[in-house]
Amino acid sequence: LLSCARPDLEPNAMHKQHPQIDTPDDDTVIWRYMDLPKLLALLSSRTLHLGRLDRVRDPWEGQWPPPILDAFRAQVSEMNSGSAGALVDFAKAMPKSFFVNCWHESSFESAALWDQYGHSRGLAIKSTIGRLRLSSSTERGFYIGRVQYLDYRKVPGKWSLNAMSPAFLKRSSFEHEREEIGRASGRE
């Protein structure tokens, strides 16, 4: 699960619903796997760290799949050939505007995520979407949503060019993570 804040939302906003973001029910069980230093930082700061999306290990995270960008470029080129490149550049820069905190959606612990994130001194926090949503207080709104896992070589059957959508997309090879995402846009 990831949580985001968006600077363009009204001040004192909290969790926001978005029609194109699949937000799980409040009773959905989520897990956050981390090592001891990250837990100590969380406890001492009493905040969840939001990492910038373009700095995660998958360079495609937060990006539109290439076939969607190609279709977008072709549509815009038909209207105004000079704008197509600028709009595609803007879309490719979007991950620098999103900040994330990732959680795993499952009723059970994940051995794979223990290996990946916990190492020998790891631990897991078990919570729910509702508790995460209610515990998050921010002056900016944020979204919590289920990640869509896609084959980035194909255009998905249904998609729209919403600026928030790429923040909730990952390549199919990461589907074992079963993430929920709250993503934020703005400055670090």
Side-chain angles (χ1 to χ4, degrees):
L1 213 172
L2 302 168
S3 56
C4 316
R6 294 257 330 250
D8 54 342
L9 296 175
E10 64 272 11
N12 302 317
M14 294 182 61
H15 174 254
K16 295 287 185 179
Q17 291 290 113
H18 191 284
Q20 294 178 345
I21 296 172
D22 179 16
T23 302
D25 294 333
D26 280 354
D27 61 351
T28 302
V29 176
I30 55 174
W31 299 81
R32 176 81 169 123
Y33 295 85
M34 63 183 72
D35 58 21
L36 184 58
K38 286 185 180 168
L39 174 66
L40 295 175
L42 183 147
L43 294 173
S44 104
S45 70
R46 300 185 66 177
T47 61
L48 288 174
H49 171 76
L50 296 175
R52 207 168 85 182
L53 188 55
D54 69 322
R55 294 183 179 158
V56 298
R57 71 180 189 277
D58 180 9
W60 286 101
E61 192 162 344
Q63 296 283 348
W64 285 107
I68 292 177
L69 269 182
D70 292 344
F72 181 55
R73 182 183 295 115
Q75 288 175 349
V76 173
S77 290
E78 288 176 13
M79 295 182 282
N80 180 348
S81 61
S83 299
L87 287 171
V88 169
D89 290 344
F90 172 76
K92 287 182 176 183
M94 287 297 294
K96 292 179 181 178
S97 301
F98 290 104
F99 295 83
V100 301
N101 186 271
C102 305
W103 293 72
H104 172 69
E105 177 185 349
S106 178
S107 297
F108 306 98
E109 295 176 52
S110 166
L113 292 178
W114 272 117
D115 288 342
Q116 188 172 348
Y117 295 105
H119 312 293
S120 62
R121 296 179 179 226
L123 54 103
I125 297 172
K126 180 181 179 182
S127 191
T128 65
I129 294 291
R131 284 191 218 133
L132 178 64
R133 186 177 53 76
L134 293 174
S135 70
S136 300
S137 62
T138 177
E139 292 181 5
R140 298 177 184 208
F142 64 96
Y143 296 97
I144 295 173
R146 194 171 272 125
V147 173
Q148 284 184 274
Y149 297 94
L150 303 174
D151 180 346
Y152 268 42
R153 298 169 298 175
K154 301 176 184 174
V155 175
K158 180 181 172 187
W159 60 278
S160 68
L161 287 175
N162 179 289
M164 290 294 293
S165 295
F168 293 88
L169 300 177
K170 286 186 94 166
R171 293 183 298 151
S172 297
S173 59
F174 289 91
E175 196 161 7
H176 70 280
E177 294 178 349
R178 292 185 49 152
E179 285 181 330
E180 300 299 323
I181 295 184
R183 307 249 164 164
S185 64
R187 292 195 167 90
E188 268 185 298

